[in-house]
């Protein structure tokens, strides 16, 4: 097995264990993908297993694509085994077995944007107060119900004493009716209906059990209960189930991931062999030691500790800036300094806890002409013009999809008013037909006034013609035809506006996406419109990351999982932000926050820097902060920079403590020297001074002083206590201001 010469002893042990349940505990950067792909190749090349008998599932298209490419390289060419996401695997099974379900083979898949549209329509239909029932909350409740396999009736019975139950029940029930009517499934339905299909059809389950004699699951710690049931049903007979994961990286419990799936795997599958991959190939020794000093404080974890043959490397830097602007400016200057010859801006990442933190970094990077890319913002495929054309294409795929038709019925403008729309919807409801079928009725179209009737008929005929011929046309031909036949491109061309030009550019770029799909799919099977729409629908934020783009990456810690960067900055290390205030008193949630911190730290290959702000403004409110409790868990021998405050009871045995309660190995050095050898001291000083250089020297205020504020106007100081000044302004009323940063000036009489 020469192709496995580059595997270490533990990886090879996992590769060669092929029969019976196997749990591979793969720490961050320990080569789990290499282990999985070599195991697949070993099954095929050394054990003679038919690729048709192997199923490998993961969570993102990016991970599935990387795994597929590596397997093909090891085997010397493409093969027929299934390597795909959970949703893609379930979707393929459901399409294959469509005759056994209530759906036709061409059922639509609704992504989160489509779900939002459906729920918002229901809220409007039922005159529900959206302030009391936000669409996000309703979608979340419905998703959790489906994961638990609870129907709307089950939900009402379980939560009958909750005063919100009846409204949520009505929304959930109506949502299911809309999906059924439109021959559509959401992402949760793909999993739920696959499990339901297996449970209700023993022959179908037996068919897939016999086919998939070897099942492998990546990122097993992220599986939810329904994914667990699906895998257990498939592997229950042959027991040849291999799961790969790391309980220390379970960070998606908020969206259904159940850490007990991996913690209890040995109980669920007796006779399990456990292999720990603890050698790390990504990070330096100090980064791994620091990450361990944090994660070891979790109680719900399997014992393991990463190690590396790499050098110890630089210590972890900590910078506590005055405020969030100084924090962002410091990071920008550091990136400018470190991005020298042989370095790319794409080597740097800023990983934050919440999306709102990105604003100050975007401003700081723009000011210094540092290219950056925000991952997790508005995705390319969620731009209006792209969603519009995707709706047209989905309508070609499934003419009964009312949600897609509702999106584009007046895109471009066809003069369809609300009364006309209500009339069409009422007719569709009475007839038990889809809206598209109603638009095909010539008498109804003739009854509509001039332009509206003509344009709706033209749109209907164009979509219908491509729907009939969709199996005989290239996707790119369908797309080009719809652009013209719908009148969409013409409407943009007549606007003569910069925004319209940008939208046209996006629509033309979308053709490149289609061409790439057609080219990639040619080697396997004829590229289909269905397959293309599925691929776009199943994309995630991580799939949107292009490491070849020369730009600093800004993203949340959750989005960063699975990625790696030479230099990682983790801002906002403050209690209340990371971890959040609500997490501090909840042990389970605090452990998940700690795992999230661990994930962020182990994204770094060479350098890791924590930052925080002594005073932070978020959501329009400013306040002084306390350093993150995760910073106090760091081994102080591994850090340098600003001192990290610790209570005396938190200090480890043998460490020296000064009278202020700081724990360190040597006395606190002057400000200029705190960043021993790192060159950060002057940069931080400059960052702070540049942020505040336009501010005048702060004055002291006492009660009775008349003052002027740049926003609130003139007022009178009524009290000054420490760092808080209370002022009654002539127009703005009473305000409490932070003395250090409030833009106040005394008015001399």
């Amino acid at each position: 097995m020469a192709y496995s010469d580059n595997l270490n002893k533990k990886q090879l042990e996992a590769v060669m264990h092929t029969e019976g349940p196997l749990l591979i505990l793969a720490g961050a950067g320990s080569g789990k993908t290499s282990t999985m792909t070599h195991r697949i190749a070993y099954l095929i090349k050394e054990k003679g297993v038919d690729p048709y008998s192997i199923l490998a599932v993961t969570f993102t298209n990016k991970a599935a694509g990387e795994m597929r490419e590596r397997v093909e390289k090891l085997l010397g060419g493409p093969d027929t085994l299934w390597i795909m996401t959970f949703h893609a695997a379930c979707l393929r099974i459901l399409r294959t077995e469509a005759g056994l379900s209530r759906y036709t083979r061409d059922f639509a898949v609704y992504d989160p944007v489509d779900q939002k549209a459906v729920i918002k329509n229901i809220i409007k239909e039922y005159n529900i107060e959206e302030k009391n029932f936000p669409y996000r909350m309703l979608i979340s409740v419905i998703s959790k119900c489906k994961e638990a396999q609870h129907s709307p009736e089950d939900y009402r019975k379980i939560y009958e004493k909750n005063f919100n139950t009846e409204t949520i029940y009505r929304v959930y029930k109506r949502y299911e009716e809309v999906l059924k009517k439109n021959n559509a499934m959401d992402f949760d339905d793909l999993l739920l209906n696959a499990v339901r299909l297996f449970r209700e059809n023993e022959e179908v389950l037996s068919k897939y059990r016999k086919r998939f004699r070897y099942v492998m699951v990546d990122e097993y710690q992220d599986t939810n209960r329904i994914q667990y049931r699906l895998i257990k049903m498939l592997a229950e007979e042959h027991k040849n189930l291999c799961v790969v994961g790391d309980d220390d990286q379970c960070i998606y419990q908020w969206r259904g991931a159940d850490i007990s799936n991996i913690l209890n795997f040995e109980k669920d599958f007796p006779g399990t062999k456990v292999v720990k991959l603890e050698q790390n190939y990504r990070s330096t020794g100090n980064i791994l030691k620091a990450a361990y000093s944090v994660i070891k404080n979790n109680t719900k974890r399997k014992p393991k500790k990463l190690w590396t043959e790499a050098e110890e490397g630089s210590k972890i830097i900590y910078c506590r800036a005055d405020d969030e602007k100084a924090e962002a400016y410091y990071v920008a200057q550091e990136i400018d300094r470190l991005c020298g010859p042989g370095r790319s801006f794409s080597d740097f990442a800023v990983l934050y806890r919440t999306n709102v933190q990105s604003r100050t970094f975007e401003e700081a990077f723009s000011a210094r002409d540092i290219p950056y890319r925000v991952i997790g913002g508005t995705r390319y495929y969620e731009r209006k013009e792209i969603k519009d054309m995707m709706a047209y294409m989905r309508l070609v795929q499934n003419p009964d999809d009312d949600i897609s038709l509702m999106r584009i019925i007046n895109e471009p403008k066809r003069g369809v008013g609300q009364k006309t729309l209500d009339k069409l919807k009422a007719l569709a409801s009475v007839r038990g037909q889809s809206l598209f079928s109603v638009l095909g009725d010539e008498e109804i179209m003739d009854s509509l006034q001039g332009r509206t009737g003509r344009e709706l008929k033209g749109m209907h005929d164009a979509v219908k013609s491509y729907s009939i011929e969709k199996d005989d046309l290239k996707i790119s031909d369908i797309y080009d035809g719809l652009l013209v036949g719908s009148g969409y491109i013409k409407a943009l061309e007549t606007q003569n506006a910069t925004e319209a030009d940008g939208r046209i550019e996006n629509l033309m770029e979308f053709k490149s996406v289609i061409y790439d799909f057609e080219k990639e799919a040619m080697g396997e099977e004829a590229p289909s419109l269905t397959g293309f729409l599925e691929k776009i629908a199943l994309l995630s934020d991580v799939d949107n990351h292009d490491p070849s783009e020369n730009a600093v990456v800004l993203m949340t810690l959750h989005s960063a999982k699975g990625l790696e960067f030479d230099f990682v900055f983790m801002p906002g290390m403050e209690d209340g932000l990371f971890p959040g205030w609500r997490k501090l008193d909840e042990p389970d949630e605090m452990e998940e926050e700690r795992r999230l911190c661990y994930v962020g730290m182990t994204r770094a290959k060479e350098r890791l820097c924590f930052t925080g702000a002594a005073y932070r403004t978020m959501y329009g409110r400013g306040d002084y902060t306390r350093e993150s409790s995760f910073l106090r868990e760091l081994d102080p021998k591994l850090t340098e920079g600003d001192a990290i405050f610790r209570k005396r009871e938190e200090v480890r045995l043998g460490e020296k403590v000064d009278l202020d309660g700081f724990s360190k190995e040597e006395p606190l050095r002057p400000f200029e020297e705190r960043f021993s050898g790192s060159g950060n001291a002057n940069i931080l000083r400059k960052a702070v001074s540049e942020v505040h250089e336009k501010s005048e020297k702060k004055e002291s205020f006492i009660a009775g002083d008349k003052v002027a504020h740049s926003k609130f106007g003139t007022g009178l100081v009524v009290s000054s206590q420490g760092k808080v000044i209370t002022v009654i302004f002539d127009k703005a009323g009473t305000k409490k201001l932070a003395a250090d940063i409030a833009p106040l000036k005394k008015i001399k009489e």
Side-chain angles (χ1 to χ4, degrees):
M1 200 168 64
Y3 62 88
S4 295
D5 289 345
N6 59 334
L7 299 180
N8 64 39
K9 184 179 179 180
K10 284 294 182 180
Q11 290 173 330
L12 194 58
E13 182 181 352
V15 165
M16 299 181 70
H17 184 85
T18 60
E19 306 303 312
L22 171 65
L23 170 60
I24 303 175
L25 291 172
S30 63
K32 71 177 179 65
T33 303
S34 181
T35 303
M36 288 188 72
T37 53
H38 277 81
R39 187 173 187 272
I40 292 171
Y42 179 77
L43 282 167
I44 296 170
K45 296 185 73 171
E46 306 296 331
K47 303 292 287 187
V49 174
D50 187 344
Y52 185 80
S53 301
I54 300 173
L55 169 67
V57 289
T58 186
F59 282 84
T60 67
N61 291 287
K62 179 177 182 291
E66 181 184 354
M67 195 181 302
R68 193 180 303 111
E69 287 178 10
R70 291 201 195 184
V71 169
E72 289 176 358
K73 187 176 180 180
L74 289 171
L75 296 177
D79 229 311
T80 56
L81 70 158
W82 284 22
I83 301 178
M84 57 187 68
T85 64
F86 272 99
H87 292 100
C90 290
L91 192 150
R92 184 175 292 188
I93 291 170
L94 290 169
R95 289 218 191 276
T96 302
E97 310 298 337
L100 297 173
S101 71
R102 65 185 188 183
Y103 299 89
T104 69
R105 183 180 175 83
D106 285 333
F107 64 81
V109 179
Y110 282 1
D111 66 14
V113 176
D114 303 314
Q115 280 185 288
K116 174 183 173 181
V118 174
I119 294 296
K120 277 187 165 287
N121 285 340
I122 295 171
I123 289 172
K124 185 177 180 180
E125 178 183 347
Y126 287 162
N127 294 316
I128 295 171
E129 184 61 56
E130 194 168 354
K131 288 191 299 183
N132 299 328
F133 296 91
Y135 75 87
R136 292 183 188 277
M137 180 270 283
L138 293 170
I139 289 174
S140 177
V141 171
I142 291 171
S143 179
K144 289 177 180 177
C145 282
K146 291 189 176 184
E147 182 191 331
Q149 299 186 62
H150 291 155
S151 67
E153 287 68 28
D154 294 332
Y155 173 81
R156 182 163 63 172
K157 189 179 297 183
I158 294 170
Y159 300 100
E160 60 181 348
K161 294 182 180 179
N162 189 317
F163 70 96
N164 288 329
T165 295
E166 193 61 28
T167 299
I168 296 174
Y169 160 76
R170 290 171 63 218
V171 172
Y172 183 11
K173 184 178 180 181
R174 180 61 179 148
Y175 175 76
E176 291 294 273
E177 290 172 352
V178 171
L179 262 61
K180 183 177 180 180
K181 179 176 180 292
N182 291 338
N183 190 34
M185 297 187 200
D186 60 26
F187 283 8
D188 293 310
D189 286 328
L190 295 177
L191 302 174
L192 178 62
N193 288 328
V195 169
R196 183 178 291 148
L197 175 69
F198 287 160
R199 188 177 63 240
E200 296 175 355
N201 298 272
E202 188 64 34
E203 290 183 4
V204 175
L205 175 58
S206 178
K207 167 185 168 182
Y208 285 96
R209 278 178 174 172
K210 288 177 181 177
R211 173 177 178 174
F212 297 127
R213 293 189 299 110
Y214 294 89
V215 178
M216 298 179 67
V217 184
D218 188 21
E219 303 288 7
Y220 190 67
Q221 77 281 349
D222 293 334
T223 53
N224 59 30
R225 294 306 293 174
I226 199 163
Q227 287 162 336
Y228 164 82
R229 293 188 192 102
L230 178 71
I231 293 302
K232 198 170 190 300
M233 292 171 86
L234 285 172
E236 205 153 24
E237 272 187 19
H238 52 68
K239 302 289 194 301
N240 294 328
L241 173 61
C242 168
V243 301
V244 186
D246 181 8
D247 49 297
D248 288 336
Q249 296 187 74
C250 180
I251 59 173
Y252 298 118
Q253 287 185 272
W254 52 276
R255 68 181 189 195
D258 190 343
I259 195 173
S260 67
N261 289 347
I262 192 168
L263 294 178
N264 297 333
F265 186 80
E266 294 145 279
K267 295 180 181 177
D268 294 336
F269 296 91
T272 294
K273 179 178 178 61
V274 179
V275 178
K276 297 181 182 180
L277 303 184
E278 297 174 291
Q279 183 175 359
N280 178 279
Y281 295 94
R282 175 189 298 158
S283 307
T284 62
N286 280 332
I287 291 174
L288 295 180
K289 291 176 184 177
Y292 179 72
S293 69
V294 173
I295 197 63
K296 71 178 184 180
N297 292 282
N298 272 7
T299 58
K300 293 182 178 180
R301 65 183 297 269
K302 290 181 176 290
K304 56 188 172 302
K305 184 177 182 180
L306 294 177
W307 61 276
T308 181
E309 292 180 347
E311 297 178 353
E312 293 297 283
S314 303
K315 290 188 176 182
I316 285 71
I317 301 296
Y318 172 57
C319 165
R320 185 162 169 82
D322 284 1
D323 56 31
E324 72 274 7
K325 290 185 178 180
E327 175 190 43
Y329 207 82
Y330 162 73
V331 171
Q333 292 215 45
E334 271 291 82
I335 292 174
D336 239 358
R337 180 180 73 85
L338 293 169
C339 192
R343 289 291 181 192
S344 166
F345 283 114
S346 60
D347 294 334
F348 299 83
V350 180
L351 311 180
Y352 36 74
R353 182 62 182 85
T354 65
N355 277 309
V356 296
Q357 290 173 256
S358 74
R359 180 182 59 83
T360 53
F361 291 97
E362 293 185 57
E363 292 173 354
F365 291 169
S366 296
R368 298 187 67 88
D369 293 325
I370 295 174
Y372 66 89
R373 184 181 183 197
V374 180
I375 306 295
T378 301
R379 291 169 52 194
Y380 173 79
Y381 298 105
E382 291 175 0
R383 293 176 181 175
K384 180 184 181 302
E385 59 273 16
I386 302 301
K387 289 294 290 183
D388 286 347
M389 289 312 301
M390 284 175 61
Y392 273 108
M393 296 170 81
R394 282 214 311 241
L395 205 54
V396 167
Q397 177 204 358
N398 176 17
D400 292 332
D401 185 355
D402 281 358
I403 296 302
S404 292
L405 180 58
M406 288 287 291
R407 180 181 181 91
I408 53 85
I409 195 168
N410 219 20
E411 293 289 344
K413 300 297 182 185
R414 298 186 175 96
V416 182
Q418 190 60 48
K419 289 183 178 179
T420 301
L421 193 55
D422 289 342
K423 176 183 176 182
L424 293 172
K425 289 167 71 175
L427 282 169
S429 178
V430 170
R431 293 183 173 191
Q433 295 178 328
S434 67
L435 276 172
F436 190 83
S437 297
V438 171
L439 294 181
D441 190 314
E442 291 188 6
E443 290 185 4
I444 293 175
M445 290 298 99
D446 290 342
S447 70
L448 298 177
Q449 295 181 357
R451 172 190 163 221
T452 300
R454 288 195 308 272
E455 294 194 4
L456 281 179
K457 185 178 187 304
M459 180 271 289
H460 173 274
D461 291 346
V463 171
K464 183 177 181 180
S465 63
Y466 285 111
S467 181
I468 293 171
E469 301 293 333
K470 67 178 184 292
D471 294 332
D472 299 321
L473 292 170
K474 292 171 63 177
I475 306 166
S476 51
D477 291 336
I478 295 173
Y479 179 73
D480 287 343
L482 289 171
L483 277 175
V484 177
S486 66
Y488 200 97
I489 195 72
K490 182 179 179 181
L492 289 175
E493 288 171 338
T494 57
Q495 289 181 22
N496 294 321
T498 301
E499 181 182 357
D501 291 340
R503 289 184 174 179
I504 291 172
E505 290 175 4
N506 289 333
L507 290 171
M508 293 303 102
E509 179 59 24
F510 194 57
K511 289 183 68 173
S512 300
V513 177
I514 295 172
Y515 289 147
D516 287 343
F517 175 79
E518 289 177 332
K519 184 178 178 180
E520 292 169 1
M522 274 299 183
E524 302 169 10
E525 54 185 342
S528 66
L529 178 61
T530 298
F532 176 73
L533 294 175
E534 287 171 4
K535 178 181 178 181
I536 300 303
L538 296 173
L539 285 173
S540 68
D541 285 336
V542 173
D543 296 316
N544 230 14
H545 171 53
D546 180 6
S548 66
E549 185 176 351
N550 185 25
V552 177
V553 174
L554 297 172
M555 66 197 319
T556 64
L557 288 156
H558 282 101
S559 296
K561 189 170 176 292
L563 302 178
E564 59 182 39
F565 304 90
D566 290 346
F567 302 87
V568 168
F569 294 86
M570 290 176 59
M573 296 300 293
E574 304 137 25
D575 279 347
L577 182 53
F578 190 38
W581 288 124
R582 295 180 181 178
K583 315 289 185 181
L584 289 168
D585 296 326
E586 297 291 335
D588 286 348
E589 294 193 14
M590 187 64 178
E591 292 212 350
E592 181 160 6
E593 288 284 282
R594 189 176 285 110
R595 290 193 293 270
L596 188 58
C597 183
Y598 175 80
V599 165
M601 295 174 73
T602 53
R603 299 311 95 194
K605 296 164 69 176
E606 298 179 24
R607 296 285 293 273
L608 174 63
C609 176
F610 291 114
T611 65
Y615 185 93
R616 182 174 297 277
T617 301
M618 290 184 69
Y619 308 113
R621 298 180 63 183
D623 205 353
Y624 293 94
T625 70
R626 185 176 72 191
E627 290 171 315
S628 170
S629 55
F630 298 146
L631 293 175
R632 298 194 292 274
E633 294 174 352
L634 286 171
D635 184 343
K637 296 177 183 178
L638 303 172
T639 64
E640 63 181 4
D642 280 336
I644 298 171
F645 179 80
R646 288 170 162 185
K647 296 178 182 177
R648 295 181 185 276
E649 60 267 25
E650 293 174 334
V651 178
R652 296 181 177 87
L653 185 65
E655 292 176 3
K656 296 181 180 179
V657 185
D658 69 359
L659 295 177
D660 292 326
F662 285 95
S663 171
K664 55 193 145 311
E665 294 178 285
E666 57 186 44
L668 185 64
R669 291 164 286 167
F671 180 88
E672 293 83 359
E673 301 172 7
R674 288 190 212 168
F675 295 85
S676 174
S678 68
N680 291 330
N682 291 333
I683 294 172
L684 179 58
R685 285 171 59 86
K686 187 176 181 181
V688 173
S689 65
E690 287 183 4
V691 168
H692 298 291
E693 66 182 356
K694 294 183 180 180
S695 299
E696 296 183 10
K697 186 177 180 180
K698 296 300 176 185
E699 300 177 274
S700 58
F701 301 95
I702 60 174
D705 284 343
K706 288 186 177 180
V707 295
H709 188 281
S710 60
K711 179 179 180 181
F712 300 131
T714 58
L716 181 71
V717 176
V718 294
S719 72
S720 179
Q721 299 179 346
K723 295 184 177 181
V724 178
I725 300 174
T726 303
V727 183
I728 298 179
F729 292 99
D730 298 341
K731 295 181 179 179
T734 303
K735 303 288 182 183
K736 289 188 176 182
L737 308 172
D740 290 345
I741 63 172
L744 290 173
K745 293 181 182 179
K746 283 185 182 179
I747 299 176
K748 296 180 181 180
E749 299 184 52

